[in-house]
Structure formats: C-alpha cells, structure tokens
Amino acid sequence: MRAASPAAAAVGGALRGGGERGSGGGGPRMESSDLGGRQQGPIWHRKPGPAARRGVIVNIIHSVKGYHSKTIRFLNVAFDSSGDSLLAGDHQGNIYVFDLNGNRFNLVQRTMQACTALAFNLRRKTEFLVALADYSIKCFDIETKELVSWMRGHDSSVSSISVHGSGRYAITTSTDTAQLWDLDTFQRKRKLNVRQSVGIQKVFFLPLSNTILSCFKDNSVFAWEFDTLRCKYQLPTPVEGSVLLYKVFAVTRDGRIFVAGGKSNHLHLWCLESKQLIRIIQMPAKVRAVRHLEFLPDSFDGGSNQVLGVLSQDNIMRFINIETCKLLFDIGSHEEGISTAAISPNGRYIASVMENGSLNLYSVQALTQEGNKPPPPMFKAVEDSSKCTSEANTLTMRVTSGRSEWPWKSKGSKIQTRLLKLQVNTSLENKENELPGGLNKKRLRALLKGFGEYPAKYRMFVWRSLLQLPENHLAFSSLIDKGTHSAFVNIQNEYPIKSMKLLRVLQRTLSALAHWSAIFAETPYIPLLAFPFVKLFQNNQLICFEVVATVVVNFCQHWFEYFPNPPVNVLSMLENVLAHHDKELLQHLITYSVTSQVYAWPLLETLFSEVLTREEWLKVFDNIFSNHPSYFLMIVVAYIICSRAPLLHCNQTADFEYFFHHRNNLDINVVIKEAYHLMEATPPDIHPQNMLDDFIPLTKGQYPVFNKYPKFIVDYQTREWERIRQDEIEYLRERQLAHELEAKAQEWKAEDEAWYRKQELLREAEEQKRKMLLEEEEKLVEQRQRLAAVKREMKVKELQFLDASRRRFLKYQQDQRQMELKRLDDEIARKVSMREQETAATVQDVEVRRMEVESQRQLFEQHLIKDQEAVTQEMKEEVDARRRKVDLEDHLVQRLMEIDREEKQKAQIVAEENLAKAEQKCIDTDWRLQVLHELRRDDQDRERRYEEIAKLLHDNRVKEAELLKAMREAEEKKWEEVTQKKAQLEEEQKAAAAADEYRKWFLEDKMNDALEMAEKLQSEDGYFERLRDLKARRTERGIELQQVPRSGNVCLNDLSASESSSHMSLDRRREELACQKRELMAEVRRLRQKLTSRARTRYPPTHFPATKWTT
C-alpha cells in the first residue's frame, strides 16, 4: 500500500546505510532500513541490484530509542495475492504494509499484542487477517485502518491461517481445533474438534480446489470435501518402522504433490492423485529437523512446482529441486539465522524473519544467478547445480510458524486501552456504574451530556459495553445452524434490498430471533425494528443479534402483551405523558381522530429509522442506551411536542400519517433535550419509569426465555400458518403431480403425432425423390444436347476470338507507332517552344538593357542641362554686375560729354549698332561651328558605343563595363574642359579687373585734363573744335569699354542656341534608337525562323507505307 503523505516520509530520520556486511572491505553493500518511530516512509533509498550481498534487497529493523534503546522483533510475514505487497507484524502488535513496487511502508494497525499468524490474500484486497495472542482473530482494513470484524472461538494460540482460493473462506488452526470461517459474514461455519491425545498439526485448503487437508500429530492425513465436509480419502501409513513424525507440510500449486517433514533429514513426497508415497528425499547430515517447507512458484511449470524451500534447525533455508534432487541455493547462515520465511506468489521475493528480530527481503533473481556449493551427497543425495528455475506467478499456501507470545493485556485493543479505559475504582458506590471493558456508566453519561453523542470511532464499543452483550457464540451458532426460518424464506419479496449481503444478514438475524422466540416469526414489524441494527452491525452477526435481542427485551417491554394488536398499554403511557405536557396538541389530534396508533406507533415500530437520518439516529440511540428504558418513550413524546407547530396546521388523517412516516425539518438536539426535561418533569404516577423494569442484560451462556406475549394466540397463529403451509405444500404437490400427468399425456400425444407426421414426411419424401429422379434424367438429356451446341458455339467463338485478338494486336502496334510519332512531335514542339522561350527571354533582356542605357542617358542629359543652367545663371549674374559698372561709367562719361551729346548721339548709336551686329555675327558663327564639332564628336562616340552594344549582346556585363568606362572618360574630358575654361575665365576676369582699374584712372586723368582745357578754351579761340575732338576720342573709348558687356550678351545668346541645338540632337538620337530596336526585333524573328527550319530538317516527319491486313 502506498503511503498517503510523502511529507511524513521524512519524519523520524532518513534510512540508514547499514554498513557493509560482506567479508572484506570491498564486498557489496546491503541496504538497511530502520522504521524507528515513523508510521510511513520509503523502504530503501536506492534499491540494490543483483550484485547485492547474497541476494538481500533490504534489511528492515524496528528500533526504539530512549533511555533503554531496544529492537522490536518481527514475528510473522505474509504476501498478498499479487506478491507486490508484504504484511509484517512485530512483537508489540504493530502491523506494517510494505509496498515493494512503490518503495513505501505504512503502519496500518497497532493491536497492542503479539500476532501469531497473518493472512493477506483475501477477496477484498484491502483487508487482512491477524491472529493475536489472546486467541482471537481480527480483520482490519489497510486503507481506513479500522477494525472490520473480531472473531473468537479458539481456546489456544492460532498457529496458521489458510485462505480459500476465492478469498471468501478461511481456516484457522490451533493445537486443539480448526475452524472454518465465512469471510463475507465473518461467521464460523464449521469446527473440527479432536481428541486431546491426538492434536492437530495443520489444516489448510488445497490450492485451486475445494478440498481441505487436515494433518494430525499421529501422522494421519485426511482430505475433506469443502461443500459437504465429507471425508474424501486418507493417506496410508508412510513406511513401516519409520520414525518420521510430520510437523510441517507443503503442497504444489496444482495440488498434486504433498510434501511432509519433521524431526528428521528425510522429506516424504506424496502423490495426492494416487494416494501413494512416491519419493523419500534425504537432506545432508547437518539437517536434523525441518522447521518450515514452502514451494518456490514458477510461471513456466504449469503449477507443478519443482523447487522446494526447506528451513532446517540450523536456521538455514535450502532450496532444492525435488525432481533432480539438486541443491540450487540457500539463504541464511549460522550467524544470521532465519526464524520463518514466506515466498511471494509471483516468485520474485523471499521475506524471512531473522533470529535477531529483523526482516530480510531477498531477490529470487539474484539468488538464482549466484548459486552455491553442494553439500556432501547422501541417500538420493542433494547435488549442487549453478542453474535454477525461473520465477513464477502462482498462488501458494503460506504457513507461518512463529512462536506464540503471551499477551500483555488480556482484553481490548490499543484504542480501547488508550482512550476509553478508565481507572478502576473498587469502591462500593461505583460498582453499579462499572461496565465491561473498563468503562464507567456515570462517566459515559457525563461525556454524553458534554458532547451530545459518543465519538463515532468508539460508538460500537461503547454500545456493546452499555448493553453488556454476553457474546454467546455457542448459543448463537445453534440458532444459526437451524437455518432460515420458514417465515423469512421469501423476505426479499417484501423487502427488496439491493445489497445481497445485507439481505442475507437480515434474513439470518430474523431467523435467529424467530428460532429464539416464536413471537418474532409472527410479528410483522420485526424486520423494520431490526433493520437499522443489521445495517450497522452487518459484519458481525453475533453482535447484531444480541443488540436486537437486548433492545426487544428491555426497550420493547409490554409490546407483545396485546399481540397481534399494537401495544395499547405502552401507547396509553405515551398519551398520558403527552396529555400532561401539551393538552392543546393532544386535543388537536383527538379532534381529527388521530390516535396514538397514528402519531406514536410508527415511531416505535421503526425505532425512528424512517424520520431520522443516520447521524441523528445514532445520536438518539447514544442517549437511549445510556438511560432507563423509559427514556425511549420520552423521546417519542418529545419528538411529537417539538413538532407541534406543523402538526397543529394539519387537518387530514393522511397528512398526519405522512408526517410520522417521513423525515421532517427538526433539530434532534432539541428533541433530546426535551426528552430529558420530560424525564424530570413528568409526575411519578404517569411516569413510564415506574411502569417499566430496569435494564436487564442478556444472560451469558444461554439466552433468556422470551415468553411475554399471549402464547395461545401465537401458538394458534403458528398452528394456522403451519396448517396453511402444509395445505399449500399439499396443493402444490398435487398440482405438480397433475402438471406432470398432463405433461406426460401431452408428451405421448406429441410422440404419436410426431410418428405419424414422420411417416407422412417419409412417404412424401419418397414420392418427391422419384419425381426428382425423372426430372434429373430429362435434364441430363437436355444438358447433353445443350453441351454439344455449346461446344460448337465455343469453337466458333474461339476462332472469332483468335481473329479478334490478332486484329487487336495489329491495331495495338499501329497505335503504338502513332503514339511514338505523337511523342516525337510533342518533343519537337517542346524543344521549339523552349527555344522560343529562350529567344524571348534574350530579347527581353536586351530590351531591359536598352531601357537601362536609355534611362542612364536621360539621367546624364538631365545632369548636363542642370549644369548648363547653373553656368548660365552665373554668367547672367556677372553680366548684370558688369552692366551696373558700365552704367556707372556711362553716367560719368555723360556728365563729361553733356554739352555735345545731343548733336552727335544718333550717329554714334548707329555706328555702335552696326559694329555690334558685325561682331555678334562673327561670334555666333564661331560658337555654332564649335558646338557642331562637339556634337559631331559626341555623335561619333555614341554611334561607336551603339555598335559595340549591338555586337556584344551575349556579354552584357562587359558592355556595361565599357559603357561605364566610356561615360567616365567623357566625364573626365568634360571636367578637364570645365577646368580649362574656369582657368581661362579667371585670367580674363583678372585682365578685365586690370583694365577696369586702368580705365578708371584714365577717365579720372582725362576728366582733370578736360576741365583744365575747358578753363583755357574759355579764353582762347577754337574752344568748340577742341571740345569736339575730345568728345570723339571719348566716344571711341566708350565703345571699347562697351565691348566687354556686349561680349557677355553674345555668350548668352550662343548658350541658348547651343541648348536648342542639343535638344534637336537628342530627338534625332531617340529616332535612331527606335530604328535600331525595330532592326533588332527583325533580326530576332529571322533567328527564330532559322531555328525552326533547322529543327525540321534535323527531325523529319516519319511516313509509314500503307498496309493491308490479311487473314
């Protein structure tokens, strides 16, 4: 079982390494685990491999640390049916479950006394049986950790527990008796008693069968039928003069081989099928006695186990092959001896209790790989062998031979002694309150008053103590042995209970009550009264019966005096109490004709089970069992008084009946408190306590006689029922006989009709066969004729088929050739299309390259135009500056020549215009010539580049490189020209600046001379002639000065002319490029036509000559 809380695994310390126990310092390490005070945790930290020392997986010890540290000894071990979980019990009654797959252990129970035997292969996988030192057997649940059942009956220590293969039955064996238990009801079915002088060694089930084998101390072995307990056979006396007394036994899984051993080194092998002794195996001389025998399961031997484990007096367990008589391996040693051992049903593990009290877990796989040396050979000697059989998955009987340990405490479990056992007070005043189990009734009432109910965990134990149950096993067994009472044979028809187990327990309990007293067989409400207790104690029928009997004897007093009517006297007591405490409610009930049989009797006959929940019912009966029997009647009155509000609103009998047969919204604590109030406030003259006897428990040994009922009525009813039952049986017998006669007559009639019908069918069949023969002969003739015609048709069809196949073959050849031609045409078309696609791709590439060149050219022209515009703008700014300078100089000259400007202005302007036009013509002509030369050179360069592009189409990258190179060269040339022109412009600007300085100085000098001369001519003659000459010279100089700005104007005109000429040249180049494009497309078309014609000449079409098919 896997532990519930992983965190608790760390409490109490980690596992101890345990040290190395092998010989020498380098031996394999054996894992050791100390359980300590932990209740759960891991078994090992690291599971050892096959190299573990002598196959030991883990060594488990249970030590207690304190002022006196000690180790608690393990006594018994048992595996479950799967072999993956191990149950172990120690000397102090601690029961541990070890989950070998999940590597977890869990403390599932503390019994507080030593265990003498264990069984863990029950039908309910979570339950196990443990035999204790007080001679009792208990069943616990490993999940809930609660007591399931407690079985008593042995008078000495239980040495073994054998479980049936179905897990439903168990046999417990002690030295004086063996008892068969039903594990569904936990009741004893049979008991085997023997003479004291003989004694029982062991009684157990044979595997996979319904046979019980009993072995006695006088070497007699009997086999019994499980169902009938009839003796099947007895094994004969072994060998005359044999001194071997059987002590230990083992059986193979198939139940064929039976092995017995004792205080000798001989083993007797019996065949249970032939009932003969087939072999005697002699163990080595060091083996003087055999203490334990168990077969090692093997999944490949079909249940006929071959490997037997023999535990001898030297505490070494040897495993031998019973067929080859070879020693396979052994476990244990003189230093680390084995006390007892158990082998898992799957054959994987061996659990052994060591002499030092620890628990060793062995791996069978590691043991079979290790091998041991053989002992010296003897009579049919055991030989050594390094080989062994493999593991198995089979169910074997595990027998534990642990020592009997006297209990520390004679009665009670740990729960009882620790939590509920009170200190003994022997004073006379408390003897009345003393209860069995060490409880005190006065203190229990104080506990009940404080908490309102008993603890759920201890309620059953408290009830058993309060009711002082005698637990008369023999008396109850005698009642059960009488079988099912006739009154309750068909109880399932009246009370359809889903749970078959609950139904059987109810049936047995009611039958036991009916056998105890005849009144209970005639009482109709006894199932309703007993059912709550049956459901509560369904796992212990003895306790259930005695609780019901105690309740009937004490809490149902005077109920049966008016049988078969309800107890009118008891109902009158209730009505008197109700009238005293609530007259209004009683008057309301009387008004609507509601008697006590409606409002009180349903609560009494069902013991409140219809109107209360499980928890409320348990709480109520905690108080009922703890008080005088009259408290039960007070609870009924309290329930009615506490329900007065809804009852006062009822005005129909059906509503009252419904109310007292269904659950209601009522606080049960208030009802209990009201009942106590009624117990105290009720006057003595009407108090039920004065009319009812005190509590009297059932007598021990035998149950008391119950005859408080009108015996003549019951006897009369019993006689009437018996008479009716006999009449019914007679009627059923006669009806069965009539049915049998009728059925026999019908059978005879059916047989006659069947014989005649069979004869008629035979005659019809004969006539039909005759007709069928004639029809078959006619059909045979017709078939022969049809067969001849079919043969002829087949021959003709065969010839037609040959002709058609030949034609089909010729057509197939023609289709093949046509398909070949079509395939060639498709291949040619595919290649032509591929060539066209390649050509189109090439043309597209050329077009893209051309577009790229065109875009680059346009971009270059755009950059040139921008540069020209920038230069033109600069020239315009310089010309404007020079114009401003000339205007300033002209203004000075005009002031100088103001006198004679009017007379010679027209002639001077005409002369200047003519001279400017002539010079403009000359400059325009020179500039145009220069531009034409430049454009011609540019056109030549472009034509050369275009020719190179047309010739080198296949190498686009080379053409691009050359184009970039040419553009870089042109760019360098242009930049060189720009640099030269800039240098020339700077020189001219310097010369112009020098000339301006000179003219400025000259004009100022001449201005001074003119002024001086004007002053002189005012006095001298010839003034006007000299002034005219001066003016003429000044005009000539002014014309020279005006040449510079006019030259600037000429340059601007030339630039505009060159710009227009460049636009004309660009348009012309576009037309030339379009023409080249058309020529290139025409060349591509010619190339495609040439490729197509070449393909046709290379793959000429195939022509087939005309053929004619002949037959």
Side-chain angles (χ1 to χ4, degrees):
M1 175 180 175
R2 192 177 296 275
S5 175
V11 179
L15 295 174
R16 300 189 306 179
E20 299 182 1
R21 299 188 181 182
S23 59
R29 191 181 185 89
M30 181 174 66
E31 185 78 7
S32 179
S33 175
D34 187 1
L35 303 183
R38 295 178 296 163
Q39 295 187 2
Q40 58 184 0
I43 305 174
W44 54 74
H45 276 163
R46 184 177 181 183
K47 186 176 182 180
R53 178 180 178 269
R54 294 185 60 82
V56 179
I57 298 176
V58 64
N59 173 255
I60 302 172
I61 61 176
H62 185 193
S63 64
V64 178
K65 295 182 179 180
Y67 183 76
H68 295 289
S69 298
K70 62 178 181 178
T71 299
I72 302 176
R73 298 172 54 86
F74 284 98
L75 296 180
N76 290 284
V77 291
F79 284 92
D80 67 347
S81 57
S82 66
D84 295 328
S85 293
L86 174 67
L87 194 72
D90 61 15
H91 184 75
Q92 291 187 353
N94 299 312
I95 309 296
Y96 292 88
V97 171
F98 299 88
D99 185 2
L100 303 182
N101 283 343
N103 186 25
R104 303 290 295 178
F105 76 91
N106 191 12
L107 176 63
V108 295
Q109 195 57 237
R110 286 183 173 140
T111 60
M112 301 306 294
Q113 51 185 327
C115 64
T116 59
L118 291 172
F120 197 20
N121 53 344
L122 277 61
R123 184 167 62 91
R124 291 178 289 273
K125 304 302 181 183
T126 60
E127 295 181 0
F128 66 92
L129 296 176
V130 53
L132 301 175
D134 62 350
Y135 314 146
S136 65
I137 302 100
K138 292 185 178 181
C139 180
F140 295 95
D141 192 297
I142 61 175
E143 290 183 352
T144 61
K145 300 182 181 181
E146 293 182 356
L147 176 65
V148 179
S149 181
W150 191 352
M151 298 175 286
R152 292 179 178 270
H154 285 278
D155 296 327
S156 60
S157 176
V158 177
S159 59
S160 68
I161 302 175
S162 176
V163 181
H164 189 263
S166 63
R168 294 185 56 187
Y169 304 94
I171 295 177
T172 56
T173 305
S174 60
T175 56
D176 57 348
T177 183
Q179 300 188 16
L180 176 63
W181 302 89
D182 186 349
L183 297 183
D184 284 341
T185 61
F186 295 99
Q187 296 299 314
R188 185 177 61 191
K189 295 177 66 67
R190 290 291 184 271
K191 182 178 181 181
L192 176 64
N193 292 317
V194 295
R195 294 192 305 271
Q196 184 121 14
S197 59
V198 178
I200 299 176
Q201 290 287 4
K202 187 177 181 182
V203 181
F204 56 96
F205 287 101
L206 287 182
L208 305 179
S209 69
N210 286 330
T211 302
I212 300 175
L213 214 63
S214 60
C215 308
F216 300 92
K217 291 183 179 181
D218 60 354
N219 276 15
S220 60
V221 178
F222 291 85
W224 310 83
E225 279 285 349
F226 168 69
D227 297 328
T228 61
L229 291 180
R230 181 181 59 84
C231 182
K232 295 176 62 177
Y233 57 84
Q234 178 185 0
L235 295 182
T237 304
V239 179
E240 292 185 2
S242 175
V243 295
L244 175 60
L245 294 178
Y246 293 165
K247 296 290 185 180
V248 290
F249 313 91
V251 182
T252 58
R253 181 180 179 273
D254 57 3
R256 295 181 179 180
I257 303 299
F258 171 74
V259 182
K263 290 185 179 181
S264 172
N265 63 345
H266 290 86
L267 299 176
H268 288 187
L269 268 68
W270 292 84
C271 177
L272 296 181
E273 292 181 347
S274 62
K275 289 83 175 176
Q276 297 295 326
L277 180 65
I278 59 175
R279 184 172 302 166
I280 298 177
I281 299 178
Q282 182 179 357
M283 298 297 290
K286 64 180 70 176
V287 177
R288 297 189 302 273
V290 178
R291 294 170 50 190
H292 182 66
L293 292 173
E294 191 164 0
F295 278 95
L296 180 65
D298 190 343
S299 59
F300 301 102
D301 57 11
S304 58
N305 310 128
Q306 303 295 321
V307 181
L308 176 65
V310 182
L311 177 62
S312 57
Q313 88 290 340
D314 57 358
N315 302 327
I316 297 176
M317 192 169 187
R318 298 170 175 85
F319 288 83
I320 64 173
N321 189 308
I322 61 175
E323 292 293 329
T324 61
C325 295
K326 293 181 180 180
L327 176 64
L328 304 179
F329 57 89
D330 60 59
I331 58 176
S333 63
H334 295 289
E335 296 79 16
E336 298 178 359
I338 297 176
S339 175
T340 184
I343 302 176
S344 64
N346 55 18
R348 296 179 182 175
Y349 306 102
I350 301 174
S352 65
V353 177
M354 312 304 290
E355 285 293 323
N356 58 8
S358 64
L359 180 65
N360 274 7
L361 185 66
Y362 294 87
S363 170
V364 176
Q365 180 182 4
L367 291 171
T368 54
Q369 292 175 356
E370 186 179 23
N372 296 308
K373 294 182 179 180
M378 302 190 66
F379 167 68
K380 200 144 192 184
V382 178
E383 300 176 2
D384 187 17
S385 175
S386 59
K387 299 181 180 180
C388 68
T389 57
S390 60
E391 305 166 1
N393 184 16
T394 178
L395 179 64
T396 61
M397 305 306 296
R398 295 183 296 277
V399 180
T400 57
S401 56
R403 306 170 185 168
S404 299
E405 299 289 343
W406 292 104
W408 292 359
K409 297 178 182 178
S410 60
K411 291 186 178 181
S413 64
K414 177 186 174 183
I415 295 173
Q416 299 164 1
T417 56
R418 289 185 60 186
L419 295 179
L420 295 176
K421 185 174 182 180
L422 304 176
Q423 295 181 357
V424 178
N425 189 354
T426 58
S427 60
L428 295 176
E429 61 183 9
N430 290 331
K431 282 188 177 182
E432 296 179 356
N433 295 322
E434 291 299 326
L435 297 174
L439 301 182
N440 186 281
K441 193 172 184 179
K442 186 176 181 181
R443 294 184 179 180
L444 286 177
R445 288 177 180 173
L447 178 66
L448 183 64
K449 186 177 181 180
F451 295 96
E453 59 180 335
Y454 294 125
K457 191 173 183 181
Y458 312 117
R459 175 178 281 119
M460 300 300 106
F461 175 71
V462 173
W463 282 14
R464 290 163 65 178
S465 298
L466 289 171
L467 299 178
Q468 302 178 30
L469 303 181
E471 298 186 17
N472 299 326
H473 292 275
L474 296 177
F476 178 71
S477 298
S478 64
L479 294 175
I480 291 295
D481 292 341
K482 292 180 181 180
T484 304
H485 196 276
S486 58
F488 304 108
V489 172
N490 299 320
I491 191 174
Q492 65 274 7
N493 298 331
E494 187 175 357
Y495 299 99
I497 302 174
K498 292 183 179 179
S499 175
M500 295 303 297
K501 175 184 176 182
L502 191 62
L503 181 63
R504 287 195 301 269
V505 175
L506 177 63
Q507 190 178 45
R508 291 174 182 174
T509 304
L510 296 177
S511 299
L513 289 171
H515 291 310
W516 175 44
S517 180
I519 184 64
F520 300 120
E522 307 299 330
T523 305
Y525 56 84
I526 197 66
L528 299 176
L529 186 144
F531 182 74
F533 299 103
V534 170
K535 194 171 183 180
L536 197 62
F537 297 98
Q538 57 181 320
N539 292 326
N540 196 329
Q541 296 183 27
L542 171 64
I543 302 300
C544 177
F545 170 79
E546 292 186 350
V547 169
V548 175
T550 304
V551 169
V552 170
V553 170
N554 291 278
F555 299 94
C556 300
Q557 297 180 34
H558 309 295
W559 279 28
F560 308 98
E561 294 177 358
Y562 293 90
F563 181 83
N565 299 315
V568 179
N569 50 350
V570 176
L571 298 178
S572 299
M573 296 181 201
L574 295 174
E575 190 169 355
N576 293 334
V577 175
L578 180 61
H580 177 76
H581 293 282
D582 198 337
K583 294 181 180 180
E584 180 185 359
L585 179 58
L586 180 61
Q587 186 62 39
H588 177 75
L589 296 173
I590 295 173
T591 303
Y592 291 101
S593 302
V594 177
T595 63
S596 57
Q597 296 185 15
V598 176
Y599 63 79
W601 180 236
L603 303 178
L604 291 174
E605 67 177 354
T606 60
L607 300 183
F608 290 92
S609 60
E610 287 185 344
V611 297
L612 297 180
T613 62
R614 176 185 172 88
E615 291 75 15
E616 294 174 345
W617 189 87
L618 293 173
K619 187 180 295 186
V620 166
F621 272 85
D622 284 344
N623 291 270
I624 292 174
F625 290 157
S626 301
N627 290 278
H628 190 271
S630 60
Y631 182 80
F632 178 40
L633 303 181
M634 292 302 184
I635 281 284
V636 176
V637 178
Y639 185 87
I640 298 170
I641 293 175
C642 292
S643 305
R644 71 187 311 274
L647 290 176
L648 290 176
H649 287 84
C650 296
N651 52 17
Q652 294 183 4
T653 306
D655 295 341
F656 289 102
E657 292 177 352
Y658 181 88
F659 183 87
F660 289 104
H661 283 280
H662 294 82
R663 294 178 183 176
N664 303 292
N665 187 13
L666 192 63
D667 188 358
I668 197 63
N669 295 318
V670 177
V671 175
I672 294 172
K673 189 179 296 185
E674 180 65 22
Y676 280 110
H677 171 71
L678 294 177
M679 288 286 290
E680 297 174 356
T682 302
D685 55 341
I686 61 172
H687 202 296
Q689 185 173 359
N690 298 328
M691 305 174 190
L692 300 178
D693 298 333
D694 293 336
F695 178 83
I696 301 175
L698 299 178
T699 57
K700 289 189 178 182
Q702 293 294 331
Y703 296 115
V705 177
F706 187 82
N707 55 3
K708 297 178 180 180
Y709 58 90
K711 194 172 184 302
F712 68 96
I713 295 178
V714 175
D715 293 343
Y716 173 76
Q717 286 192 351
T718 303
R719 288 194 301 271
E720 287 297 317
W721 280 113
E722 187 64 27
R723 185 182 60 78
I724 293 171
R725 191 176 297 109
Q726 292 297 331
D727 293 344
E728 185 178 0
I729 292 173
E730 183 66 21
Y731 167 74
L732 292 175
R733 189 181 63 79
E734 293 177 357
R735 189 176 67 175
Q736 181 67 24
L737 183 60
H739 284 326
E740 290 177 358
L741 293 175
E742 184 179 0
K744 189 171 291 187
Q746 293 292 335
E747 184 180 356
W748 290 342
K749 183 178 179 181
E751 288 179 357
D752 292 342
E753 292 180 355
W755 186 82
Y756 285 114
R757 190 164 51 251
K758 185 176 181 181
Q759 295 298 323
E760 184 69 21
L761 290 175
L762 289 174
R763 187 183 60 77
E764 293 177 357
E766 184 179 359
E767 186 68 23
Q768 189 175 2
K769 289 291 184 182
R770 189 180 294 109
K771 291 181 180 179
M772 288 174 61
L773 287 174
L774 294 176
E775 292 176 357
E776 288 295 331
E777 289 179 359
E778 294 176 358
K779 289 181 181 179
L780 182 61
V781 174
E782 293 178 359
Q783 286 179 358
R784 288 176 179 174
Q785 294 175 357
R786 285 198 299 269
L787 181 61
V790 168
K791 286 182 178 179
R792 290 192 299 271
E793 292 178 359
M794 291 295 293
K795 192 65 178 177
V796 174
K797 287 182 179 180
E798 184 178 359
L799 295 175
Q800 292 177 355
F801 176 74
L802 291 174
D803 187 17
S805 62
R806 185 168 51 188
R807 291 177 180 276
R808 192 180 302 110
F809 179 72
L810 293 176
K811 188 174 182 304
Y812 171 74
Q813 287 184 344
Q814 185 177 5
D815 293 341
Q816 287 291 107
R817 292 184 179 180
Q818 290 179 358
M819 289 175 65
E820 186 69 21
L821 292 175
K822 185 176 181 181
R823 186 182 63 78
L824 293 174
D825 292 340
D826 294 341
E827 185 70 20
I828 292 170
R830 186 178 63 79
K831 290 184 178 180
V832 169
S833 64
M834 289 175 63
R835 296 289 176 86
E836 290 179 354
Q837 291 176 1
E838 291 176 357
T839 305
T842 305
V843 172
Q844 291 178 0
D845 292 340
V846 172
E847 183 67 21
V848 170
R849 295 298 179 187
R850 187 192 65 76
M851 292 173 66
E852 290 179 356
V853 172
E854 181 67 21
S855 64
Q856 291 177 359
R857 183 185 63 78
Q858 292 177 0
L859 184 62
F860 180 67
E861 290 177 354
Q862 186 176 0
H863 286 312
L864 289 178
I865 293 170
K866 288 181 180 180
D867 294 340
Q868 289 179 1
E869 289 179 355
V871 171
T872 303
Q873 186 68 23
E874 291 178 359
M875 291 300 295
K876 285 181 179 180
E877 291 176 357
E878 292 179 358
V879 169
D880 291 338
R882 289 185 179 275
R883 281 181 179 176
R884 287 193 296 272
K885 291 180 181 180
V886 170
D887 291 338
L888 181 59
E889 292 175 356
D890 289 343
H891 180 67
L892 295 173
V893 172
Q894 286 176 3
R895 288 181 62 189
L896 182 62
M897 297 181 295
E898 186 177 1
I899 298 172
D900 57 346
R901 177 180 297 174
E902 294 177 356
E903 296 177 355
K904 297 181 179 181
Q905 186 175 5
K906 293 182 181 180
Q908 185 180 354
I909 290 173
V910 173
E912 287 177 355
E913 287 178 354
N914 291 333
L915 181 60
K917 288 180 179 180
E919 289 178 355
Q920 183 69 31
K921 291 292 184 183
C922 181
I923 291 171
D924 290 339
T925 303
D926 293 337
W927 181 258
R928 287 178 180 177
L929 288 174
Q930 186 179 359
V931 171
L932 286 174
H933 288 307
E934 291 292 330
L935 291 175
R936 190 172 297 167
R937 283 196 300 271
D938 187 59
D939 291 340
Q940 290 176 359
D941 293 336
R942 289 179 181 175
E943 288 175 359
R944 179 170 55 79
R945 286 194 297 273
Y946 290 158
E947 289 175 358
E948 290 176 357
I949 291 170
K951 291 178 181 179
L952 302 176
L953 282 173
H954 64 281
D955 196 2
N956 294 331
R957 294 183 180 178
V958 176
K959 289 186 293 184
E960 291 176 0
E962 291 179 354
L963 177 61
L964 293 174
K965 184 178 180 181
M967 291 175 67
R968 290 193 187 97
E969 291 176 356
E971 185 178 0
E972 290 175 358
K973 289 180 182 179
K974 292 298 182 181
W975 280 110
E976 289 177 358
E977 292 177 1
V978 169
T979 304
Q980 294 176 0
K981 288 181 178 180
K982 283 185 177 180
Q984 184 179 359
L985 180 59
E986 289 176 356
E987 292 178 357
E988 290 179 356
Q989 287 177 353
K990 290 179 181 179
D996 290 339
E997 294 292 334
Y998 174 73
R999 275 197 303 275
K1000 189 175 181 180
W1001 174 79
F1002 177 75
L1003 289 173
E1004 290 178 354
D1005 186 33
K1006 291 300 182 181
M1007 182 73 67
N1008 295 328
D1009 291 343
L1011 292 173
E1012 291 177 357
M1013 288 179 68
E1015 290 177 357
K1016 290 180 179 180
L1017 287 175
Q1018 288 179 0
S1019 59
E1020 295 180 358
D1021 295 334
Y1023 166 75
F1024 293 102
E1025 289 83 359
R1026 292 177 183 171
L1027 184 60
R1028 187 181 299 110
D1029 294 338
L1030 182 60
K1031 186 176 181 182
R1033 287 196 299 271
R1034 179 70 184 124
T1035 304
E1036 292 177 0
R1037 291 174 182 170
I1039 293 170
E1040 291 177 358
L1041 290 172
Q1042 290 177 359
Q1043 289 179 358
V1044 176
R1046 288 186 183 277
S1047 65
N1049 292 331
V1050 170
C1051 290
L1052 288 173
N1053 294 332
D1054 291 341
L1055 284 174
S1056 62
S1058 64
E1059 184 177 356
S1060 62
S1061 63
S1062 65
H1063 283 295
M1064 293 174 62
S1065 64
L1066 289 174
D1067 295 336
R1068 187 169 63 253
R1069 291 298 171 266
R1070 290 193 186 94
E1071 294 176 357
E1072 290 177 358
L1073 287 174
C1075 181
Q1076 289 177 1
K1077 179 179 178 182
R1078 288 193 295 273
E1079 291 176 358
L1080 183 61
M1081 293 300 294
E1083 184 66 25
V1084 170
R1085 291 192 189 93
R1086 287 194 299 273
L1087 181 62
R1088 290 174 62 186
Q1089 292 175 0
K1090 191 182 293 183
L1091 291 173
T1092 304
S1093 61
R1094 189 177 300 171
R1096 289 178 179 175
T1097 55
R1098 185 176 297 178
Y1099 303 103
T1102 305
H1103 299 282
F1104 298 96
T1107 58
K1108 183 177 181 181
W1109 299 95
T1110 59
T1111 59

